[in-house]
Amino acid sequence: MLAGLLCVVLSALMLLTAADLPPYGSDTAPTVNEVAQRYVEQGTQETGAVNTVAGMILDYRAFDTLGESFVLFTAMCAVTILLNRSGKRRWLRQPDMVDYASDPIVAPMCRFLIPVILVFGIYILLNGHLSPGGGFSGGAIMGAGLILYLNAFGFKRTERFFTFTTFKIVSCVALSFYALSKAYSFFTGANHLPSIITTGTPGMIFSAGLIPYLNIAVGLVVCCTMYAFYTLFRKGDM
């Protein structure tokens, strides 16, 4: 009864707050301020990113995105602790449910599709500062490619290039690079110090300062986390 009463009170407060908000698109809306105007008018000039969204989440608000990446890493640690009770050695060593590697239809199609999926994911990853995409979407596509490879060819072949050690190294290196590079960027910017990082020429693949490299770091974390989530939840309590 107390929990139900609390839900009713919170719901009433949220509804009253929503009813008091200005209409969508109104000039008095809190979102219509100098911050959004700065992003739109000077975002490309200041960040070098043609994609304003990438410039916003990986430059102006880069530490927010770092927090989101750490949330993924923390969730992966929690899942590993809960579902990997048998130990690290069996983290990915599970019996394959179906052998598709010798299937005359599935195996050839996967050999054709998996490279296409991975290349497309890399393209989305590297062009996040120029067009819609970036680390989260590109990493998700590459993670889907790894999951397809796992289902088609089994754990033994996948372990040749991706193990628990691989996950730890890639995730830790990517997150550390993100944190250190943006700490340097924010430190120089906040103190009006010269920086060796330039925005480059907007529209070029090597432009937008650190944004392309931060996209790569985020993409690697997302890719590894997706694959690890799948393997551990597929394992269950076996």
Side-chain angles (χ1 to χ4, degrees), residues 34-53:
E34 65 277 4
V35 176
Q37 184 178 359
R38 175 73 171 252
Y39 291 162
V40 175
E41 294 180 353
Q42 303 184 38
T44 301
Q45 177 184 354
E46 293 179 344
T47 66
V50 178
N51 182 4
T52 305
V53 175

Side-chain angles (χ1 to χ4, degrees), residues 13-26 28-31:
L13 291 174
M14 292 179 182
L15 290 173
L16 291 173
T17 303
D20 192 51
L21 291 174
Y24 180 77
S26 173
T28 60
T31 56

Side-chain angles (χ1 to χ4, degrees), residues 21-232:
L21 291 174
Y24 180 77
S26 173
D27 294 338
T28 60
T31 56
V32 182
N33 53 37
E34 65 277 4
V35 176
Q37 184 178 359
R38 175 73 171 252
Y39 291 162
V40 175
E41 294 180 353
Q42 303 184 38
T44 301
Q45 177 184 354
E46 293 179 344
T47 66
V50 178
N51 182 4
T52 305
V53 175
M56 181 181 66
I57 65 175
L58 289 172
D59 193 283
Y60 294 116
R61 304 184 61 178
F63 275 139
D64 291 350
T65 306
L66 176 62
E68 295 169 5
S69 301
F70 268 110
V71 166
L72 290 175
F73 183 71
T74 305
M76 186 62 251
C77 293
V79 172
T80 303
I81 293 171
L82 293 174
L83 297 183
N84 192 34
R85 292 179 296 181
S86 57
K88 297 179 181 178
R89 294 182 179 179
R90 295 184 57 194
W91 187 67
L92 297 178
R93 296 175 186 176
Q94 308 157 28
D96 299 315
M97 292 183 289
V98 182
D99 181 19
Y100 289 114
S102 57
D103 190 279
I105 297 177
V106 176
M109 290 302 300
C110 287
R111 291 191 180 95
F112 169 75
L113 286 175
I114 292 172
V116 175
I117 293 172
L118 293 177
V119 170
F120 181 63
I122 294 172
Y123 167 79
I124 295 294
L125 190 70
L126 297 179
N127 285 268
H129 60 297
L130 303 177
S131 60
F136 286 101
S137 50
I141 294 172
M142 292 191 298
L146 288 179
I147 292 173
L148 180 59
Y149 183 92
L150 169 65
N151 283 292
F153 302 107
F155 281 97
K156 291 183 179 180
R157 293 183 62 174
T158 308
E159 279 189 322
R160 296 176 183 175
F161 59 89
F162 197 101
T163 62
F164 183 69
T165 302
T166 308
F167 165 76
K168 289 193 297 183
I169 293 174
V170 172
S171 298
C172 291
V173 169
L175 290 172
S176 299
F177 167 78
Y178 192 118
L180 293 174
S181 59
K182 284 314 296 182
Y184 166 80
S185 178
F186 281 147
F187 176 79
T188 55
N191 294 279
H192 304 287
L193 299 174
S195 175
I196 61 174
I197 303 169
T198 61
T199 57
T201 304
M204 303 297 291
I205 187 67
F206 294 107
S207 62
L210 286 171
I211 292 178
Y213 309 102
L214 298 181
N215 265 327
I216 294 174
V218 173
L220 290 175
V221 173
V222 172
C223 175
C224 292
T225 302
M226 278 190 58
Y227 177 79
F229 270 148
Y230 178 80
T231 56
L232 287 172

